[in-house]
Amino acid sequence: NNYMDKFNVNDIAKMCSLSPAVFRKQFHTITNMSPIEYKNYLISKKAAELLQTEEFSVSEVASKVGIEDIYYFNRLFKKYFHVSPGKYKGNSII
């Protein structure tokens, strides 16, 4: 629910009563991603949901998920969905 919030891994580790190193290791064991990679995955997943609605343009979706740099948004989205956001939007059956 809070994927757009800025977070500090040290603070999250402290909330879990773990050292940052142990938190990162356990997080990676569970998700197979670092905390930052997982956050980026959640951002991309939310962007995909918004693109499927066809209600917003690619740049509007990028802004809605907290990314103002459209080039960075395109690279990030493509990393997880292996297609550009524009192509994904055009093929909402993906």
Side-chain angles (χ1 to χ4, degrees):
N1 290 336
N2 302 318
Y3 70 93
M4 286 182 52
D5 294 348
K6 297 205 182 303
F7 69 90
N8 179 313
V9 173
N10 294 339
D11 293 338
I12 297 171
K14 190 175 181 179
M15 285 190 287
C16 297
S17 300
L18 299 171
S19 73
V22 171
F23 174 77
R24 283 186 186 92
K25 185 174 180 174
Q26 287 186 358
F27 192 93
H28 193 274
T29 299
I30 293 167
T31 65
N32 204 31
M33 295 180 203
S34 72
I36 299 300
E37 288 172 321
Y38 188 71
K39 180 181 178 181
N40 287 338
Y41 167 72
L42 292 177
I43 288 169
S44 297
K45 189 174 167 185
K46 180 62 177 177
E49 291 171 13
L50 292 171
L51 289 167
Q52 285 180 335
T53 68
E54 297 188 9
E55 189 175 334
F56 308 105
S57 70
V58 172
S59 59
E60 288 172 323
V61 169
S63 182
K64 285 189 175 295
V65 296
I67 300 175
E68 297 305 321
D69 182 343
I70 193 68
Y71 299 107
Y72 175 70
F73 175 71
N74 285 330
R75 284 193 314 273
L76 182 66
F77 190 90
K78 196 168 186 179
K79 177 180 178 179
Y80 295 103
F81 289 92
H82 309 290
V83 66
S84 70
K87 286 185 180 178
Y88 188 93
K89 180 178 173 57
N91 297 322
S92 59
I93 58 170
I94 295 175

